[in-house]
Amino acid sequence: MPHDAYRKIEAGTITIRVLREDDLPDVLNIECQGYSFPWSESVFRGCFRPDYRLWALDMGDRLSGYAVVAYMAGEAHLLNLCVAAGQRRSGAGRHLLRHLVAESARDGMSQVLLEVRDSNASALDLYVSEGFSVIGRRPGYYPGGQEREDALVMALPVDGRSSAPAPP
């Protein structure tokens, strides 16, 4: 199924849909709120390709989060997931994560991989609570102030042959 043919998921005031290039001004605003070293517009533009899945999370009529996932060698690699500052700890990030995991399974991926800053306790808590486990460490992976910061590599096996649960 072509990426743009994926269905739109709605749950209450949350809608998950395919991210569009015209969403980039809002994406960049959220990105700058969420990260000390945000991705540039050109990095985001480079993600609009057939082997990537880009998801937008709308709350009401406003873009409130996004996820960027690369499909490589039968694995889904979550490259970026960010929720607007005012929507953090609302369950929006969990909803978006569950959606991309379910879609990865439907697309036949064997697992979802990600890197997370060792110091990002809230993201680590989310990923562990959703079944991800630490499978490695990448020393100096993330830029930091005076020194670079390690990333924990996490994985969640998914069975693309069965029907994955839909987000709640």
Side-chain angles (χ1 to χ4, degrees), residues 17 19 23 26-27 30 56-59 61-65 84:
R17 61 173 172 79
L19 188 76
D23 290 318
D26 292 331
V27 166
I30 294 169
L57 182 137
D58 294 328
M59 296 185 82
D61 60 355
R62 166 173 266 189
L63 182 77
S64 296

Side-chain angles (χ1 to χ4, degrees), residues 4-20:
D4 57 353
Y6 278 49
R7 70 192 182 293
K8 184 163 83 169
I9 305 296
E10 296 187 32
T13 61
I14 295 177
T15 302
I16 297 178
R17 61 173 172 79
V18 172
L19 188 76
R20 300 178 306 263

Side-chain angles (χ1 to χ4, degrees), residues 117-134:
R117 280 184 188 269
D118 195 11
S119 65
N120 191 342
S122 59
L124 280 166
D125 289 347
L126 170 63
Y127 298 136
V128 168
S129 73
E130 290 297 315
F132 283 81
S133 57
V134 175

Side-chain angles (χ1 to χ4, degrees), residues 73-152:
E75 298 175 334
H77 191 158
L78 175 56
L79 301 175
N80 195 334
L81 187 150
C82 193
V83 174
Q87 303 302 329
R88 294 193 187 127
R89 300 206 177 276
S90 69
R94 182 177 306 276
H95 194 81
L96 187 54
L97 180 64
R98 287 180 178 176
H99 176 78
L100 72 87
V101 166
E103 290 296 331
S104 296
R106 282 187 197 94
D107 287 343
M109 300 296 109
S110 63
Q111 66 180 336
V112 178
L113 297 167
L114 61 88
E115 288 88 11
V116 60
R117 280 184 188 269
D118 195 11
S119 65
N120 191 342
S122 59
L124 280 166
D125 289 347
L126 170 63
Y127 298 136
V128 168
S129 73
E130 290 297 315
F132 283 81
S133 57
V134 175
I135 62 168
R137 176 180 292 271
R138 297 191 198 280
Y141 185 79
Y142 287 107
Q146 295 290 340
E147 299 179 17
R148 296 185 67 83
E149 187 173 350
D150 290 358
L152 297 177

